[in-house]
Amino acid sequence: MSVLLILLIPLFGALLTYALGRKNPEIAGWISSFAALAAFILSIFTALPILRNSTEKVIFEGYEWFSAGALSIDFALQLDALSALMCLIITGVGSLIHFYSIGYMAEDDSRPRFFAYLNLFLFFMLLLVLAQNLVLLFAGWEGVGLCSYLLIGFWFKNSEYSKAGQKAFVVNRIGDAGFLVGIFALFKAFGVLDFNTLNVALTVNNGAQTFWLTLAALGLFIGATGKSAQIPLFVWLPDAMAGPTPVSALIHAATMVTAGIYLLARLALLYTALPFVQELIFSVAFITAAMAGLIALAQNDLKKILAYSTISQLGFMFMAAASGAYAIALFHVTTHAFFKACLFLSAGNIIHALHGEQDIRKMGGLFKKLPATAFSYLICLLAISGVYPLAGYFSKHAIILAAEKVYLTEYGFLLTALAILTTVYMTRSFVLVFLGRSRFADTLHIHKPSLLMQLPVVILALLSAVAGLLLSGHLEEFLVPLVGAFEVEQHAGIAASLGDSLLPLVIIILVCALYLKAGKILIFMAQRFSLINNLFANKFYVDEAYQLLIVTPLKMIARMTAGLLDQQLIDGLVESFGASVQTSAAVFKYIHRGSLRAYLGLIFIGSFLIIYFLYLI
Amino acid sequence: MNFLLLSIFFPLIAALILGAISYSNKNIKLQNTAVFMALVQFILVLISGAGIGEANPVAFLPWVPKFGINLSFELSGPAFLLTLFSSLIFINLLVFAGSKLKIQHYFLLFTVQTSLYGALTSVNLLLFYFFYELMILPIFLMLILEQSKELKRAVYKCIIYTLSSSLVMLAAIIFLAVSAYKTGGQISFELKDLLNLTLAEDTQRYLLIAFIFAFAVKSPLVPFHSWQPAIYSQSPAFIAVFFSSLLFQVGIFGVYKFCFILFPAVISDVAPLLSVLGVASILLGSLVAWRELGLRKALAYASIAHIGFSFLGLGSLNYAAVSGALFLIITHILIAAGLFILACIFERNSKSTQFAAVGGLAKTAPRFSFFMLFFSLASISLPLTASFVGEFMVLADTFFVYPLLASIALLGVIMGAVYMLNICRQMLFGEAHGEFQDLTSTQQLVLAPILFLILLLGICPQPVLQFINTDTQLVLKNIEIGEGNIAPRKYKLPEGSTNLQLANLYEDKRNN
């Protein structure tokens, strides 16, 4: 029952926030924040037995949602090690971001709507991770998409923003169609869709039904590429930065976008049995990570840099999952939730301080003005770059080791290169925002972040610092009953770990030096290699390519369907049928026009014909 | 007292009473009385449904017994649901239409109600035909009074098209009755007498196609839809809502009610065609809806797409898919009513038929925007709304039989989001330009129950589905089709599987 309550608290929170907040916008944020906090506390208490023994499950049997014949879907919830981890991330990081939003949105008139949406998002996200079957998971999956749509277009007066929301929804719908094919194929293969039975079926399956299972795995992965912004469906996430920054932190960095990895981990047995699909996922994830990293190098919008960084990090998580190291993927989900949420909230503070400015070329020198934010950003920069003993080191290092073990045994340097890429673009953003001379007008009054906006950032920075040390090893062990074990040989000893950290540190210092002391060289380089620079800055022209190859032809087909097929052919046939009846009627009308002479003539012709046919043949 | 008979003919009685009232007092306001009558009707339908499940309520009155034409009705589970939801929407419609309606409108609308209920429940084919035709005539009379020349043309097209298509069905019905005479020595139009005819399979096929043709025009199904968009987009508000949310159901339900039962031996030959045309409707409907700029016209094409999903499910002849198809009719009644009511309000308030005429309604008319967004999301079958349940059942179970068709139909799921959100964006978001009056409290009162029902049926559909499932099971039992239709499919364990314990667990779980 308490599992259901975890789910319902944010839902009622949303209703209450909107109902009470409309009269009194000040309390809207507090209601929803405390709803989130309550869900977090309840999650901890409900998950206690699981935290002690991770084979435990807390189940809410629920009721029969719908069924007919062989199809039977329950509205049932299940809290196990995997969903407990996700629940804690969602409600924990979620609560922090809720409280942060009270400060961030303090001047917005539509706060009640905003906080109601946030709580509604928590509801759907929790439904996604607590669902006991794929269909209910899909309900949460589409629900978070809906909230994402509503929140990206939150400032709907700007029609660009609502266009971005629509794009996110439609691109995700394409993924969802794949998701549905996956569900249907699994249903065709096994006739069941709840996870426990599916896992049993997959365990006893012994390689039967390969075609449908492959289709299912691919379909669900397409769904995952939509929600988790991988090639080919990643195009919506950068545009999604149109939403308020806390939304970017919560939905588009920490929680919703990791749903794809959660899905793969949920169906670990399905994917592990299909090495071909795993290889495909790995390749897609690797290319995505590389591509997003390169694009991030050439972006100037702070939030866009972070968005591409998210895409790239999600690629890392998918690489881990594709290597069979689901626990490590989820470990990175966890650490990433901390440091990326922190980065986004810091970005929020910066943007707030500069009255909405997001272009890093117009920032600089903010270290002294926003020391706490800058320090948090720095910690997260070190964390994401994989410097020991910060959180990112543990998860990212494990991913690289796992991927090397399974796929890129000979080409381990490719992964190290990817990691370096991360360090470079993140350091670039840090330098341009915080160091050097300030490039905004001196008269600009810098908004200092309030305590409500500063505290969550600091807490998250702290978590980014220590989570790795605390969780490394334990988290993987915790998840073993659900996603299986995966052995990687972590470096033993602190000395070796420090040695690993040397490279990112050197890179960070180099990039800092380059941007601070040799900016002219960079400008020269950018001009010299303008082709490549443009390619990165314009996101490899993927949007344009989609427009040209998919949207435009589809519009043409639609126009032809409406004009040629529907109007001319189908309706034309019907009309001409009617016209032919009218013509023949006109002929008969002419005959029956009441002229005696005509009748006599016809009688004469008729008699002649009768006589001819009867007697003369 | 036979409540079934009463519930069918009560609207006719109500029409007469309303007529008498208006005759005696010219100035009286009829709306309240009419709404009251509709409410009584709703309660009668509810009462008449008692006992469904064990034994369906029946009613029988001889009319022309010599020719086997009788007033015989049977209220099956799905028919009960359809009449129930229709009578509910009818109340909303009367409240929505407000004081604009005159006595002749009330009279005709109530007559249509009787013919609608009659068509849904009658189990005498000639009686069915009678009601089926009677349904369209009052609409014709109401529309022909309108001034617009374009509309008049559309009305004639609609009438001639649907009447001539149902003439084909009438020929098939008479053929069946005559065949009954040949085998049993007695002309009969009773459904139960016509079930046991031994006709050549070829003959059956022709008859089946005659039925399906009539129903396909009425629903409408691509490529027989060309009468529909003009009627939906140009009729006066209350008729458009009435047409789009209530009258479409007879066609789809007719396929299930007559074609499945009368021709169990050959339905599986023709059924794939239903599915293919269903997918064609989905694709054509969504593509054209995307290019339309008129709100009601776009919604008209969206309706075609939605109806396509029902036909896709029916054609698969698979248990859950057929149940889902019938469930989709109910959801479409609700969603089409909601969307067309909103569209009519929009046209009245913005004085334009184009949805882009006034933007930014989310700011200027938040209540309108809320309902519009909700119904749009329901129409693209977001989970936890009713249409998701129906669509999922249809697609998942159709995929079992026709994986490719179901996958193509998923393109319609994507396209749905494209055109509906496009409409929403241009209507609700962006900068506001132009005046727009938000929903009145009456209008909210009309829409709120529909919204509530859509949510309820999305979260907790099983009690309603139960009515459908029982009947579907009976109907499909007679149809011979491939593997694993009605009995729960069993997952076959691969040979040499050693993990017996797990296997048993699986079997247990499956059997529950």
Side-chain angles (χ1 to χ4, degrees), chain A residues 292-303:
Chain A
L294 290 174
I295 296 173
L297 278 179
Q299 297 299 309
N300 292 318
D301 182 320
L302 180 58
K303 284 181 75 181

Side-chain angles (χ1 to χ4, degrees), chain A residues 63 67 166 566 571 575, chain B residues 153 157 225 301 425 459 462:
Chain A
Y63 60 92
S67 86
Q166 188 183 344
D566 191 48
D571 198 36
E575 293 276 335
Chain B
R153 188 180 150 73
K157 189 165 162 186
H225 64 280
Y301 278 99
R425 181 172 61 79
I459 295 167
Q462 193 58 24

Side-chain angles (χ1 to χ4, degrees), chain B residues 195-215:
Chain B
L195 295 181
N196 307 317
L197 299 177
T198 46
L199 294 171
E201 291 215 340
D202 269 343
T203 321
Q204 287 196 38
R205 230 166 264 141
Y206 288 125
L207 294 173
L208 175 59
I209 287 175
F211 272 90
I212 285 179
F213 173 60
F215 292 139

Side-chain angles (χ1 to χ4, degrees), chain A residues 26 434 443:
Chain A
E26 279 75 39
F434 291 108
T443 50

Side-chain angles (χ1 to χ4, degrees), chain A residues 373-429:
Chain A
T373 307
F375 209 68
S376 307
Y377 201 98
L378 182 62
I379 289 177
C380 294
L381 163 64
L382 296 175
I384 200 175
S385 309
V387 175
Y388 184 86
L390 303 172
Y393 168 77
F394 296 93
S395 52
K396 207 169 209 178
H397 197 64
I399 289 179
I400 292 174
L401 289 178
E404 271 179 29
K405 185 174 169 188
V406 181
Y407 294 107
L408 299 167
T409 29
E410 304 288 306
Y411 303 96
F413 64 90
L414 283 174
L415 291 161
T416 317
L418 271 189
I420 292 173
L421 195 59
T422 312
T423 313
V424 173
Y425 67 71
M426 284 310 298
T427 314
R428 171 172 173 264
S429 74

Side-chain angles (χ1 to χ4, degrees), chain A residues 46-209:
Chain A
T46 315
L48 270 183
I50 301 165
L51 294 175
R52 277 194 217 105
N53 174 4
S54 62
T55 51
E56 287 281 324
K57 284 172 188 166
V58 185
I59 290 173
F60 170 71
E61 292 276 356
Y63 60 92
E64 192 171 43
W65 187 11
F66 57 90
S67 86
L71 184 71
S72 168
I73 309 296
D74 289 344
F75 200 105
L77 306 174
Q78 172 175 324
L79 189 74
D80 52 23
L82 186 54
S83 41
L85 173 70
M86 294 300 287
C87 261
L88 292 177
I89 297 174
I90 294 161
T91 52
V93 177
S95 303
L96 287 175
I97 295 175
H98 269 75
F99 281 110
Y100 175 89
S101 307
I102 299 176
Y104 191 82
M105 301 296 285
E107 281 144 36
D108 199 297
D109 290 336
S110 320
R111 265 168 293 164
R113 192 160 56 89
F114 177 82
F115 284 104
Y117 288 165
L118 271 195
N119 262 5
L120 193 67
F121 167 77
L122 282 191
F123 163 74
F124 279 119
M125 193 66 210
L126 289 168
L127 181 65
L128 195 162
V129 296
L130 288 172
Q132 204 193 24
N133 60 61
L134 262 178
V135 186
L136 199 57
L137 188 154
F138 184 72
W141 186 273
E142 287 245 292
V144 290
L146 166 68
C147 296
S148 163
Y149 161 74
L150 292 171
L151 283 164
I152 294 170
F154 178 73
W155 288 311
F156 54 77
K157 265 193 188 161
N158 185 334
S159 55
E160 285 307 311
Y161 290 2
S162 39
K163 263 185 198 160
Q166 188 183 344
K167 180 175 174 185
F169 197 95
V170 169
V171 171
N172 268 299
R173 262 266 151 152
I174 298 172
D176 292 350
F179 195 120
L180 282 174
V181 169
I183 296 182
F184 300 159
L186 269 183
F187 179 61
K188 189 168 169 71
F190 294 136
V192 290
L193 290 170
D194 78 293
F195 294 123
N196 298 333
T197 328
L198 264 182
N199 279 342
V200 178
L202 286 163
T203 318
V204 298
N205 188 42
N206 283 351
Q209 309 263 27

Side-chain angles (χ1 to χ4, degrees), chain B residues 475-511:
Chain B
V475 170
L476 288 180
K477 201 155 61 186
N478 298 322
I479 300 172
E480 304 152 21
I481 24 169
E483 37 150 358
N485 183 31
I486 291 187
R489 288 185 275 269
K490 287 256 172 80
Y491 167 62
K492 284 192 210 70
L493 293 173
E495 285 183 23
S497 100
T498 48
N499 206 331
L500 257 180
Q501 201 188 350
L502 283 178
N504 286 337
L505 182 70
Y506 182 85
E507 283 295 291
D508 285 350
K509 182 79 188 171
R510 188 69 220 98
N511 290 335

